[in-house]
Amino acid sequence: MPKTMLMNHIVLLFLFSLSTLFAQEHPYFEGTISYKIEMKGEMVPQLQLNEPPNEMIMHVKDGSYIVNLKGGRYAKTFVFVSDSNRQYSVDFNNRMAYRYYPHNDIAQKKEEKLTASYTGKEVELNGHMVKIYQAKQGDTRFTYFVRDNLKVDVTNYPSETRARANFLVEGLEGKIPVKTIKQQKGLTVITSATRITARPFKEAQFRIPPGFTVKNRDYRW
């Protein structure tokens, strides 16, 4: 075997050993999941005028997470900080963070609790068997596709958490959806995982960066 090929082979074996060791030491997921967002239905042309995001990237560690919405008119970043039990809207360009914003206001107004139930059905998705859960909130129906081995430890989140991540929906027991279908009259939104990368993070990455100004309300969107 040529020397270059041998070195590449050794490097690949080393990286594989590191990823396997990390997975063994961390039964709960820590890492990054990228999603694509698709919309169908008669409401889509009207919604497209506002250029909504078509990509979501979620970073997860213990009881904190970061969500980046991309591909639309406005990029948005939300950071849930476990210590303060609060999800912030963060504007990195202007070094600002906001405690309240329109998306959070809508979520807070939904009084009916969302609870998912296992349908008893399983399908193969991207080479993995996934279980199908369903939930209903008013006239909106949610379908979640989850894997048993892709989950977070929900005990890291307080019982009255302000977090809005879908893996915290009651009934999912911390399982992270690899696909979510949200159906309502005139609109279906499909969020599908395109890449899942397990990797360790530092706690400091899930904090409001030093020097940022924290304000109460974000009126921009």
Side-chain angles (χ1 to χ4, degrees):
M1 180 182 294
K3 186 175 181 181
T4 301
M5 292 181 63
L6 178 61
M7 289 301 298
N8 289 340
H9 183 66
I10 292 173
V11 170
L12 287 173
L13 284 176
F14 175 70
L15 292 175
F16 176 77
S17 299
L18 279 181
S19 62
T20 302
L21 179 62
F22 179 72
Q24 290 174 343
E25 292 180 348
H26 297 76
Y28 295 105
F29 180 74
E30 180 177 336
T32 301
I33 304 180
S34 299
Y35 295 88
K36 65 178 180 180
I37 304 171
E38 303 171 278
M39 297 191 299
K40 300 178 180 180
E42 60 186 39
M43 292 177 59
V44 172
Q46 180 180 352
L47 293 173
Q48 290 289 8
L49 295 176
N50 293 321
E51 300 178 31
N54 57 23
E55 182 182 359
M56 179 176 77
I57 300 175
M58 180 173 67
H59 310 284
V60 180
K61 178 179 176 60
D62 301 328
S64 299
Y65 59 79
I66 299 170
V67 171
N68 294 317
L69 296 177
K70 305 173 67 177
R73 181 183 300 178
Y74 303 108
K76 300 179 179 67
T77 298
F78 303 103
V79 179
F80 179 79
V81 181
S82 57
D83 289 351
S84 62
N85 187 23
R86 186 176 293 279
Q87 181 168 299
Y88 297 86
S89 172
V90 182
D91 180 352
F92 283 92
N93 290 332
N94 296 304
R95 302 176 64 82
M96 306 284 285
Y98 301 87
R99 299 183 181 92
Y100 305 100
Y101 44 92
H103 176 75
N104 190 61
D105 294 342
I106 295 171
Q108 293 285 0
K109 288 179 181 178
K110 293 181 178 178
E111 297 179 358
E112 184 181 349
K113 192 172 185 178
L114 193 60
T115 302
S117 300
Y118 178 40
T119 63
K121 298 178 181 179
E122 294 186 36
V123 296
E124 185 175 342
L125 191 64
N126 297 327
H128 297 273
M129 293 305 297
V130 297
K131 294 180 177 179
I132 301 176
Y133 285 71
Q134 288 188 332
K136 191 174 181 181
Q137 190 173 61
D139 295 328
T140 304
R141 181 180 297 276
F142 297 85
T143 303
Y144 304 101
F145 299 78
V146 300
R147 289 161 42 182
D148 286 333
N149 63 347
L150 186 67
K151 61 188 300 183
V152 302
D153 185 357
V154 294
T155 63
N156 287 320
Y157 293 84
S159 57
E160 298 298 327
T161 183
R162 296 190 182 99
R164 297 298 168 192
N166 57 8
F167 52 74
L168 295 175
V169 170
E170 187 173 330
L172 293 184
E173 299 176 331
K175 299 181 186 70
I176 304 173
V178 293
K179 183 177 181 178
T180 302
I181 301 176
K182 180 182 177 182
Q183 297 170 289
Q184 57 192 105
K185 186 177 180 180
L187 179 65
T188 297
V189 180
I190 305 169
T191 306
S192 307
T194 57
R195 186 174 182 179
I196 301 173
T197 306
R199 56 173 173 164
F201 286 116
K202 295 181 180 179
E203 289 286 348
Q205 294 175 269
F206 293 79
R207 297 290 183 269
I208 303 301
F212 275 49
T213 301
V214 178
K215 292 191 172 183
N216 270 336
R217 182 162 295 280
D218 183 359
Y219 293 100
R220 295 173 299 161
W221 302 307

